[in-house]
Amino acid sequence: QVQVMESGGESVEAGGSLTLSCVVEGYGSARIFVGWFRQAPGKEREGVAALFTAARNTYYADSVEGRFFCSLDAGKNTVYLHMNHLKPEDTAAYYCAARTGPLSTDLWYRTELYPDWGQGTQVTVSS
């Protein structure tokens, strides 16, 4: 059974850093594509970053490019989202999602392409 579990959200001050974790279990040896998404109140869920575990390719939204980056600990089945220079507009519920097989640069942020989702973790950035 596939499980996707994210953690690490908390309240931080603007300019600070935070790392979120996403544990993905149940895919076996399949090539996994892991996406990070966020949703602020009243807004649609948007893609933030993604990582393809087989090749360690990474993808980022323009709004976080240069501030956020993904890393992988394959031994722990965990993908991390390292968030630096946080801004109040980064405040949102952050979700991790997973699928098998890669996605291209023009598809990785499409929520409907990910069948498995975590419950979300809240990140609040105060000014």
Side-chain angles (χ1 to χ4, degrees):
Q1 181 178 356
V2 173
Q3 288 189 318
V4 179
M5 298 165 289
E6 63 279 85
S7 62
E10 60 182 69
S11 296
V12 296
E13 293 187 350
S17 299
L18 196 61
T19 295
L20 305 183
S21 302
C22 175
V23 178
V24 180
E25 297 179 337
Y27 277 91
S29 60
R31 304 189 304 167
I32 305 168
F33 198 93
V34 177
W36 283 100
F37 296 80
R38 66 186 181 187
Q39 188 166 18
K43 295 187 176 181
E44 292 187 356
R45 192 168 297 189
E46 62 174 356
V48 175
L51 181 147
F52 182 43
T53 60
R56 305 204 178 205
N57 297 4
T58 54
Y59 308 81
Y60 301 99
D62 290 345
S63 59
V64 305
E65 183 80 53
R67 298 190 298 124
F68 293 11
F69 68 95
C70 294
S71 66
L72 169 67
D73 185 333
K76 295 182 178 180
N77 296 327
T78 301
V79 173
Y80 301 97
L81 180 66
H82 306 274
M83 305 185 293
N84 302 304
H85 304 294
L86 284 161
K87 305 175 182 180
E89 50 264 44
D90 294 319
T91 295
Y94 281 71
Y95 298 87
C96 181
R99 53 166 284 131
T100 55
L103 289 173
S104 61
T105 55
D106 60 343
L107 291 176
W108 68 266
Y109 51 85
R110 299 276 293 271
T111 59
E112 68 270 26
L113 299 178
Y114 294 80
D116 300 302
W117 289 79
Q119 294 300 307
T121 187
Q122 179 67 35
V123 173
T124 302
V125 184
S126 59
S127 58

